[in-house]
Amino acid sequence: MKIRWFSASLSACLAATLTLTSWSGFATAKEKLSVRYHPIYKTASFIKENWSSSRRTIAPNELIWDYLNARKNLFKIADQVQDHFQLESKNTDNLGMSHYRLQQVHLGVPVYGSEQTVHFNRANTVTSYMGQVIPNIKLPAFKHIKHISVPTAISIAKKQTKHVKQYLYQPTSQLVVFPYHKSFAYAYVIKLAYLSPQPTIWQYFIDAKSGKILQKINILNEIAGNGKGVKGDKKTFEITKDGNLYYLKDQIRNISTYDAKHEDENSPVITGKLVSSKTKNFSDPSSVDAHAYAEATYDFYKKSFGRNSFDGKGSAIKSYVHVGDKWNNAAWDGEKMIYGDGDGKTFISLAGGLDVVAHELTHAVTQYTANLEYQGESGALNESISDIMGVMVDSDDWLLGEDIYTPNKPGDALRSMADPTKYNQPDNYDDRYLGWQDNGGVHINSGINNKAAYLIAAGGTHYDVKVVGIGRAKTKAIYYRALTNYLTPSSQFIDMRDAAIQSATDLYGANSKEVTSVSKAYDAVGVVE
Ligand code: L5Q
Ligand code: ZN
């Protein structure tokens, strides 16, 4: 499309506004204002300028409204700008610029697709505006219109996908003003997502008055990518095509994988770059595994517990590979997963371990649930929960990190839940570490709870206490329930015992064999009242 530029002197543009609101901002008269207009709505699509407020002292959050007020003519707004825009977010970048996002509203209801961005430099001068404003929407208030309910709208959309057995999450609904046939209608935007038979995210626009489907789009733009993992194994995973490039971005699970390009592991911000490829084949084994294993862990949580991402609300899962220089570790940093390449001797690329990836992502689940404090006994429980879910995701063994630890020493691992003492961890509360290292031994004392979980699942006699195994599926259900419903940030080993017994009671009954196994297991590792 050809872009047409219009220039106007500021004083001319502002003449009308200045008389209306004497305090509204203005810039020096000589400054150029360049405006590109929307071809149909004739409101500003892009403004390039240097606008600053004339008010001497002004709260930062009022500046944005002063600006919109100063430009209201360009948006064809006659009344209060506050009635037409809703502030969505503000981001300050590393250049010191502030970027505001706004949403046009009509009588309080968002106008679909009509969003705006306004950009301030560090001197609080607006340098540009971009977005869409639809003028003269003539629709009475929603409450004055006879309309169908949200559940009705959802059932209309669901009728279209009768072949779907399981949705990824509860269908969502948002009321919008929807531009339709040169007019407007209130519509519910219903989102339906599912993985099979074909990964799809439908967005249905249901007329709130008539229930008619005005439009539907599959907003999933995703395909299968492939590549080899750290161990040389071929695998497929979900990617996204955008323009000429493919990206490690799984839109249905909301998982993206970035290359940190050796940014320091201690850096407060790791920028990274979304991993891309010219073909569907991805050649970096670390990012392939980080991505595919994050997907596998997502699926584990979804399938086992119905959990949608670490927060249960579908939050974006971000992995960063090639963090640091030969860094021998991986972590959840509170917002994202970060993986080192390893030095090649102690570790190879840590993203190459499915159990490691599941361990890290479980730290995120913990943060959003029990939020176990990362020191002392609660920290050891935090570590243990990550290990438990780590081994539950990864095949049938009780080892952690076996795939990425000491490439020249086959058979060993970072930790063993079956026998924690193999890797210098205690397997009884009496042998717990009480020093200050490792946040009070969070990676050491986790062995105690790891052994208990192992005994519950696999059974065995430990320090003369016999435990009958109840299998992995029930064990993971008990720990998930304890983590999400019972444990708190200050929970100690004894609380873990009670939380596990309580969870097993809920799930299998007070006199069940499962409850017996749990209490025997904690007896066996010396966690007793
Ligand atoms: C650890 C996470 C891993 N790191 N163990 C210190 O001891 C220290 C860190 C860890 F899975 F990447 F290895 O578990
Ligand atoms: Zn950990």
Side-chain angles (χ1 to χ4, degrees):
M1 198 182 86
K2 221 170 109 190
I3 296 172
R4 262 179 299 185
W5 285 87
F6 296 90
S7 286
S9 99
L10 261 183
S11 48
C13 262
L14 286 172
T17 11
L18 281 171
T19 52
L20 275 172
T21 46
S22 57
W23 47 265
S24 82
F26 58 85
T28 49
K30 271 188 205 132
E31 242 156 357
K32 271 272 191 67
L33 174 80
S34 308
V35 187
R36 177 167 53 82
Y37 290 92
H38 190 279
I40 297 159
Y41 302 128
K42 312 289 183 206
T43 52
S45 294
F46 184 47
I47 307 174
K48 205 172 154 64
E49 61 176 326
N50 278 291
W51 175 94
S52 51
S53 175
S54 63
R55 287 211 267 172
R56 268 160 209 260
T57 53
I58 178 165
N61 281 349
E62 282 178 37
L63 261 184
I64 182 75
W65 297 110
D66 275 16
Y67 172 71
L68 293 170
N69 197 50
R71 293 289 170 265
K72 64 199 272 185
N73 287 355
L74 297 180
F75 306 131
K76 298 192 179 176
I77 290 171
D79 49 346
Q80 291 288 327
V81 287
Q82 278 92 339
D83 292 343
H84 293 268
F85 299 104
Q86 205 166 277
L87 190 55
E88 297 290 331
S89 66
K90 177 195 174 183
N91 269 307
T92 303
D93 68 17
N94 46 13
L95 301 175
M97 288 187 73
S98 299
H99 308 278
Y100 287 81
R101 277 189 181 276
L102 299 115
Q103 163 78 58
Q104 185 185 357
V105 290
H106 170 72
L107 302 176
V109 179
V111 180
Y112 184 77
S114 284
E115 298 183 27
Q116 304 78 30
T117 62
V118 178
H119 311 271
F120 289 80
N121 66 18
R122 63 167 83 236
N124 274 336
T125 297
V126 173
T127 52
S128 66
Y129 157 93
M130 184 173 279
Q132 172 176 290
V133 178
I134 302 181
N136 306 319
I137 297 173
K138 292 197 174 56
L139 259 186
F142 185 65
K143 62 176 180 197
H144 294 141
I145 290 181
K146 209 176 156 206
H147 55 262
I148 60 169
S149 70
V150 170
T152 305
I154 289 173
S155 68
I156 291 168
K158 270 186 161 177
K159 260 189 208 147
Q160 304 285 311
T161 55
K162 275 189 182 143
H163 59 296
V164 175
K165 290 202 182 73
Q166 201 198 13
Y167 294 99
L168 261 180
Y169 42 79
Q170 288 294 330
T172 62
S173 164
Q174 195 202 8
L175 180 69
V176 298
V177 170
F178 188 59
Y180 187 65
H181 284 318
K182 294 186 180 166
S183 180
F184 300 92
Y186 285 110
Y188 294 109
V189 184
I190 309 292
K191 241 180 169 182
L192 297 175
Y194 47 89
L195 280 170
S196 76
Q198 205 70 251
T200 309
I201 309 174
W202 280 120
Q203 200 164 266
Y204 282 88
F205 298 83
I206 313 277
D207 190 322
K209 223 156 103 179
S210 66
K212 196 178 137 193
I213 297 170
L214 301 176
Q215 203 191 103
K216 63 170 191 182
I217 36 176
N218 180 3
I219 58 173
L220 190 69
N221 178 21
E222 150 164 309
I223 24 180
N226 64 78
K228 281 184 190 170
V230 172
K231 303 289 240 188
D233 47 335
K234 277 191 199 154
K235 58 191 77 188
T236 61
F237 37 84
E238 306 286 335
I239 59 172
T240 298
K241 188 178 188 197
D242 193 357
N244 296 323
L245 287 176
Y246 297 91
Y247 294 92
L248 285 187
K249 182 177 168 133
D250 175 336
Q251 291 187 64
I252 197 129
R253 299 180 184 84
N254 205 358
I255 294 175
S256 301
T257 302
Y258 299 80
D259 185 347
K261 299 184 189 242
H262 306 290
E263 285 180 68
D264 196 272
E265 64 269 23
N266 299 310
S267 161
V269 277
I270 294 174
T271 328
K273 206 166 164 259
L274 187 61
V275 178
S276 66
S277 171
K278 286 180 183 147
T279 69
K280 291 179 194 173
N281 180 267
F282 284 76
S283 59
D284 172 36
S286 299
S287 48
V288 161
D289 273 347
H291 196 67
Y293 290 161
E295 290 182 330
T297 305
Y298 175 98
D299 288 350
F300 165 83
Y301 271 100
K302 187 75 185 64
K303 219 176 152 185
S304 307
F305 317 117
R307 190 179 186 86
N308 179 14
S309 188
F310 53 84
D311 63 346
K313 296 179 187 165
S315 265
I317 297 170
K318 294 179 179 173
S319 313
Y320 287 70
V321 296
H322 305 305
V323 172
D325 179 22
K326 299 181 178 172
W327 186 39
N328 278 326
N329 213 343
W332 165 259
D333 76 353
E335 293 176 352
K336 58 187 182 291
M337 291 182 282
I338 53 177
Y339 299 98
D341 290 329
D343 59 12
K345 281 189 174 153
T346 324
F347 284 99
I348 54 171
S349 179
L350 282 94
L354 173 56
D355 51 7
V356 172
V357 171
H359 174 107
E360 300 311 339
L361 198 51
T362 299
H363 279 310
V365 176
T366 298
Q367 179 181 322
Y368 280 83
T369 54
N371 197 18
L372 290 157
E373 199 192 351
Y374 205 58
Q375 61 154 329
E377 290 197 14
S378 54
L381 292 171
N382 188 324
E383 268 303 312
S384 174
I385 296 283
S386 274
D387 281 354
I388 292 168
M389 296 308 170
V391 302
M392 294 293 178
V393 175
D394 191 13
S395 67
D396 231 14
D397 63 59
W398 293 99
L399 301 172
L400 269 133
E402 69 281 2
D403 288 336
I404 45 96
Y405 189 59
T406 55
N408 302 321
K409 241 198 258 173
D412 70 342
L414 207 52
R415 289 183 282 277
S416 164
M417 291 181 60
D419 185 5
T421 61
K422 252 181 141 168
Y423 303 104
N424 301 316
Q425 288 188 298
D427 64 359
N428 192 286
Y429 192 66
D430 291 343
D431 302 329
R432 68 192 180 282
Y433 171 76
L434 290 168
W436 50 268
Q437 284 178 51
D438 186 34
N439 282 345
V442 296
H443 294 95
I444 303 168
N445 293 332
S446 55
I448 299 163
N449 197 60
N450 281 357
K451 180 80 192 196
Y454 163 79
L455 289 169
I456 293 167
T461 302
H462 185 53
Y463 295 110
D464 296 329
V465 180
K466 189 177 171 221
V467 185
V468 180
I470 63 169
R472 286 185 168 229
K474 287 177 177 173
T475 303
K476 77 180 178 193
I478 289 168
Y479 279 101
Y480 181 76
R481 192 173 179 85
L483 177 71
T484 53
N485 292 313
Y486 287 103
L487 296 173
T488 71
S490 61
S491 288
Q492 306 290 295
F493 277 105
I494 192 68
D495 300 305
M496 179 74 252
R497 177 195 168 106
D498 285 335
I501 290 173
Q502 212 50 48
S503 299
T505 303
D506 299 346
L507 291 168
Y508 310 110
N511 302 313
S512 61
K513 66 179 201 308
E514 289 81 2
V515 167
T516 306
S517 291
V518 172
S519 57
K520 286 282 177 204
Y522 280 95
D523 289 350
V525 299
V527 177
V528 199
E529 193 108 53

Short mmCIF file of all heavy atoms in Angstrom, two decimals, residues 168-197:
data_model
loop_
_atom_site.label_atom_id
_atom_site.label_comp_id
_atom_site.label_asym_id
_atom_site.label_seq_id
_atom_site.Cartn_x
_atom_site.Cartn_y
_atom_site.Cartn_z
N LEU A 168 -8.20 -27.56 25.25
CA LEU A 168 -6.98 -27.27 26.00
C LEU A 168 -7.27 -26.51 27.29
O LEU A 168 -6.61 -26.67 28.29
CB LEU A 168 -6.02 -26.44 25.15
CG LEU A 168 -4.91 -27.21 24.46
CD1 LEU A 168 -4.06 -26.26 23.66
CD2 LEU A 168 -4.06 -27.97 25.46
N TYR A 169 -8.25 -25.64 27.21
CA TYR A 169 -8.67 -24.93 28.42
C TYR A 169 -10.14 -24.59 28.26
O TYR A 169 -10.71 -24.74 27.17
CB TYR A 169 -7.84 -23.65 28.64
CG TYR A 169 -7.57 -22.84 27.39
CD1 TYR A 169 -8.53 -21.99 26.86
CD2 TYR A 169 -6.34 -22.92 26.74
CE1 TYR A 169 -8.29 -21.25 25.73
CE2 TYR A 169 -6.09 -22.17 25.59
CZ TYR A 169 -7.07 -21.34 25.10
OH TYR A 169 -6.82 -20.60 23.96
N GLN A 170 -10.75 -24.14 29.34
CA GLN A 170 -12.16 -23.74 29.26
C GLN A 170 -12.30 -22.67 28.18
O GLN A 170 -11.51 -21.73 28.16
CB GLN A 170 -12.59 -23.13 30.60
CG GLN A 170 -12.73 -24.14 31.73
CD GLN A 170 -13.86 -25.11 31.48
OE1 GLN A 170 -14.86 -24.79 30.83
NE2 GLN A 170 -13.69 -26.33 31.97
N PRO A 171 -13.26 -22.80 27.29
CA PRO A 171 -13.45 -21.77 26.27
C PRO A 171 -13.57 -20.39 26.94
O PRO A 171 -14.21 -20.25 27.98
CB PRO A 171 -14.77 -22.17 25.62
CG PRO A 171 -14.85 -23.64 25.81
CD PRO A 171 -14.21 -23.91 27.15
N THR A 172 -12.92 -19.39 26.33
CA THR A 172 -12.96 -18.05 26.91
C THR A 172 -13.91 -17.18 26.09
O THR A 172 -14.17 -17.47 24.91
CB THR A 172 -11.57 -17.40 26.92
OG1 THR A 172 -11.12 -17.28 25.56
CG2 THR A 172 -10.59 -18.23 27.72
N SER A 173 -14.41 -16.15 26.72
CA SER A 173 -15.34 -15.26 26.05
C SER A 173 -15.00 -13.81 26.36
O SER A 173 -14.67 -13.48 27.50
CB SER A 173 -16.76 -15.56 26.55
OG SER A 173 -17.62 -14.50 26.20
N GLN A 174 -15.05 -12.98 25.35
CA GLN A 174 -14.86 -11.54 25.57
C GLN A 174 -15.89 -10.78 24.75
O GLN A 174 -16.07 -11.06 23.56
CB GLN A 174 -13.44 -11.11 25.17
CG GLN A 174 -13.09 -9.74 25.72
CD GLN A 174 -11.96 -9.05 24.95
OE1 GLN A 174 -11.53 -9.51 23.91
NE2 GLN A 174 -11.53 -7.92 25.47
N LEU A 175 -16.55 -9.85 25.40
CA LEU A 175 -17.52 -9.02 24.68
C LEU A 175 -16.77 -7.89 23.97
O LEU A 175 -15.94 -7.22 24.57
CB LEU A 175 -18.53 -8.43 25.67
CG LEU A 175 -19.60 -7.54 25.03
CD1 LEU A 175 -20.56 -8.36 24.18
CD2 LEU A 175 -20.36 -6.76 26.10
N VAL A 176 -17.05 -7.72 22.69
CA VAL A 176 -16.42 -6.64 21.93
C VAL A 176 -17.45 -5.94 21.05
O VAL A 176 -18.54 -6.46 20.81
CB VAL A 176 -15.28 -7.17 21.01
CG1 VAL A 176 -14.17 -7.82 21.81
CG2 VAL A 176 -15.83 -8.13 19.95
N VAL A 177 -17.05 -4.76 20.58
CA VAL A 177 -17.78 -4.12 19.49
C VAL A 177 -17.09 -4.58 18.23
O VAL A 177 -15.89 -4.40 18.06
CB VAL A 177 -17.73 -2.58 19.63
CG1 VAL A 177 -18.27 -1.92 18.36
CG2 VAL A 177 -18.52 -2.13 20.85
N PHE A 178 -17.85 -5.21 17.35
CA PHE A 178 -17.26 -5.85 16.18
C PHE A 178 -17.69 -5.13 14.90
O PHE A 178 -18.89 -5.04 14.62
CB PHE A 178 -17.72 -7.31 16.15
CG PHE A 178 -17.03 -8.15 15.11
CD1 PHE A 178 -15.66 -8.29 15.12
CD2 PHE A 178 -17.76 -8.80 14.12
CE1 PHE A 178 -15.01 -9.07 14.17
CE2 PHE A 178 -17.13 -9.59 13.17
CZ PHE A 178 -15.74 -9.72 13.19
N PRO A 179 -16.71 -4.59 14.15
CA PRO A 179 -17.05 -3.95 12.88
C PRO A 179 -17.54 -5.02 11.91
O PRO A 179 -16.84 -5.99 11.67
CB PRO A 179 -15.73 -3.34 12.40
CG PRO A 179 -14.83 -3.38 13.59
CD PRO A 179 -15.28 -4.54 14.42
N TYR A 180 -18.76 -4.82 11.39
CA TYR A 180 -19.37 -5.86 10.58
C TYR A 180 -20.23 -5.21 9.50
O TYR A 180 -21.15 -4.45 9.81
CB TYR A 180 -20.22 -6.76 11.49
CG TYR A 180 -20.78 -7.98 10.81
CD1 TYR A 180 -19.94 -8.98 10.32
CD2 TYR A 180 -22.16 -8.15 10.66
CE1 TYR A 180 -20.46 -10.10 9.71
CE2 TYR A 180 -22.68 -9.27 10.04
CZ TYR A 180 -21.82 -10.25 9.57
OH TYR A 180 -22.33 -11.35 8.96
N HIS A 181 -19.91 -5.54 8.23
CA HIS A 181 -20.68 -5.01 7.11
C HIS A 181 -20.89 -3.50 7.21
O HIS A 181 -22.02 -3.02 7.19
CB HIS A 181 -22.05 -5.71 7.01
CG HIS A 181 -21.94 -7.09 6.43
ND1 HIS A 181 -21.15 -7.39 5.36
CD2 HIS A 181 -22.54 -8.25 6.79
CE1 HIS A 181 -21.24 -8.66 5.08
NE2 HIS A 181 -22.07 -9.23 5.94
N LYS A 182 -19.81 -2.78 7.35
CA LYS A 182 -19.83 -1.32 7.41
C LYS A 182 -20.64 -0.77 8.58
O LYS A 182 -20.94 0.41 8.65
CB LYS A 182 -20.36 -0.72 6.10
CG LYS A 182 -19.43 -0.99 4.93
CD LYS A 182 -19.88 -0.28 3.69
CE LYS A 182 -18.92 -0.59 2.56
NZ LYS A 182 -19.44 -0.21 1.26
N SER A 183 -21.05 -1.68 9.46
CA SER A 183 -21.76 -1.25 10.65
C SER A 183 -21.08 -1.89 11.86
O SER A 183 -19.95 -2.37 11.75
CB SER A 183 -23.22 -1.67 10.54
OG SER A 183 -23.90 -1.26 11.70
N PHE A 184 -21.78 -1.93 12.98
CA PHE A 184 -21.18 -2.50 14.18
C PHE A 184 -22.17 -3.37 14.91
O PHE A 184 -23.37 -3.11 14.88
CB PHE A 184 -20.71 -1.38 15.12
CG PHE A 184 -19.69 -0.50 14.48
CD1 PHE A 184 -20.09 0.65 13.80
CD2 PHE A 184 -18.36 -0.84 14.51
CE1 PHE A 184 -19.15 1.44 13.17
CE2 PHE A 184 -17.41 -0.05 13.88
CZ PHE A 184 -17.81 1.10 13.20
N ALA A 185 -21.63 -4.39 15.58
CA ALA A 185 -22.49 -5.26 16.38
C ALA A 185 -21.73 -5.63 17.65
O ALA A 185 -20.50 -5.73 17.64
CB ALA A 185 -22.82 -6.53 15.59
N TYR A 186 -22.45 -5.80 18.74
CA TYR A 186 -21.83 -6.40 19.91
C TYR A 186 -21.65 -7.88 19.62
O TYR A 186 -22.58 -8.54 19.13
CB TYR A 186 -22.72 -6.22 21.15
CG TYR A 186 -22.70 -4.81 21.70
CD1 TYR A 186 -23.83 -3.99 21.60
CD2 TYR A 186 -21.56 -4.32 22.32
CE1 TYR A 186 -23.81 -2.70 22.11
CE2 TYR A 186 -21.53 -3.02 22.84
CZ TYR A 186 -22.65 -2.22 22.73
OH TYR A 186 -22.62 -0.97 23.24
N ALA A 187 -20.44 -8.37 19.89
CA ALA A 187 -20.18 -9.78 19.62
C ALA A 187 -19.37 -10.38 20.76
O ALA A 187 -18.57 -9.70 21.40
CB ALA A 187 -19.43 -9.94 18.31
N TYR A 188 -19.62 -11.66 21.02
CA TYR A 188 -18.77 -12.40 21.94
C TYR A 188 -17.66 -13.04 21.11
O TYR A 188 -17.93 -13.71 20.12
CB TYR A 188 -19.55 -13.51 22.65
CG TYR A 188 -20.63 -13.03 23.59
CD1 TYR A 188 -21.98 -13.19 23.27
CD2 TYR A 188 -20.29 -12.43 24.80
CE1 TYR A 188 -22.97 -12.76 24.14
CE2 TYR A 188 -21.28 -11.99 25.67
CZ TYR A 188 -22.62 -12.17 25.34
OH TYR A 188 -23.59 -11.75 26.20
N VAL A 189 -16.42 -12.83 21.54
CA VAL A 189 -15.32 -13.53 20.90
C VAL A 189 -15.06 -14.78 21.74
O VAL A 189 -14.65 -14.70 22.90
CB VAL A 189 -14.04 -12.67 20.85
CG1 VAL A 189 -12.94 -13.40 20.08
CG2 VAL A 189 -14.33 -11.33 20.22
N ILE A 190 -15.36 -15.93 21.17
CA ILE A 190 -15.20 -17.19 21.88
C ILE A 190 -13.96 -17.89 21.35
O ILE A 190 -13.81 -18.10 20.14
CB ILE A 190 -16.43 -18.11 21.66
CG1 ILE A 190 -17.74 -17.36 21.96
CG2 ILE A 190 -16.29 -19.40 22.47
CD1 ILE A 190 -17.96 -17.01 23.40
N LYS A 191 -13.07 -18.23 22.28
CA LYS A 191 -11.84 -18.92 21.89
C LYS A 191 -11.92 -20.38 22.29
O LYS A 191 -12.16 -20.70 23.45
CB LYS A 191 -10.66 -18.27 22.60
CG LYS A 191 -9.62 -17.67 21.67
CD LYS A 191 -8.56 -17.09 22.55
CE LYS A 191 -7.33 -16.66 21.87
NZ LYS A 191 -6.36 -16.16 22.85
N LEU A 192 -11.72 -21.25 21.32
CA LEU A 192 -11.73 -22.70 21.57
C LEU A 192 -10.41 -23.26 21.08
O LEU A 192 -10.06 -23.10 19.91
CB LEU A 192 -12.85 -23.39 20.77
CG LEU A 192 -14.31 -23.04 21.04
CD1 LEU A 192 -15.18 -23.77 20.03
CD2 LEU A 192 -14.69 -23.42 22.44
N ALA A 193 -9.67 -23.92 21.96
CA ALA A 193 -8.38 -24.47 21.56
C ALA A 193 -8.32 -25.96 21.82
O ALA A 193 -8.80 -26.43 22.85
CB ALA A 193 -7.25 -23.77 22.30
N TYR A 194 -7.75 -26.69 20.87
CA TYR A 194 -7.56 -28.13 21.08
C TYR A 194 -6.38 -28.62 20.28
O TYR A 194 -5.93 -27.97 19.32
CB TYR A 194 -8.83 -28.91 20.71
CG TYR A 194 -9.48 -28.53 19.40
CD1 TYR A 194 -9.11 -29.15 18.22
CD2 TYR A 194 -10.48 -27.55 19.36
CE1 TYR A 194 -9.72 -28.81 17.02
CE2 TYR A 194 -11.09 -27.21 18.17
CZ TYR A 194 -10.71 -27.84 16.99
OH TYR A 194 -11.30 -27.49 15.81
N LEU A 195 -5.82 -29.75 20.73
CA LEU A 195 -4.62 -30.30 20.08
C LEU A 195 -4.97 -31.32 19.01
O LEU A 195 -4.30 -31.39 17.98
CB LEU A 195 -3.73 -30.96 21.14
CG LEU A 195 -2.85 -30.01 21.96
CD1 LEU A 195 -2.20 -30.75 23.12
CD2 LEU A 195 -1.78 -29.37 21.10
N SER A 196 -6.01 -32.15 19.28
CA SER A 196 -6.34 -33.16 18.28
C SER A 196 -7.82 -33.07 17.90
O SER A 196 -8.64 -32.63 18.71
CB SER A 196 -6.00 -34.56 18.82
OG SER A 196 -6.97 -34.96 19.74
N PRO A 197 -8.19 -33.44 16.66
CA PRO A 197 -7.36 -34.13 15.67
C PRO A 197 -6.28 -33.23 15.02
O PRO A 197 -5.36 -33.77 14.40
CB PRO A 197 -8.39 -34.56 14.61
CG PRO A 197 -9.51 -33.60 14.75
CD PRO A 197 -9.57 -33.22 16.19
#
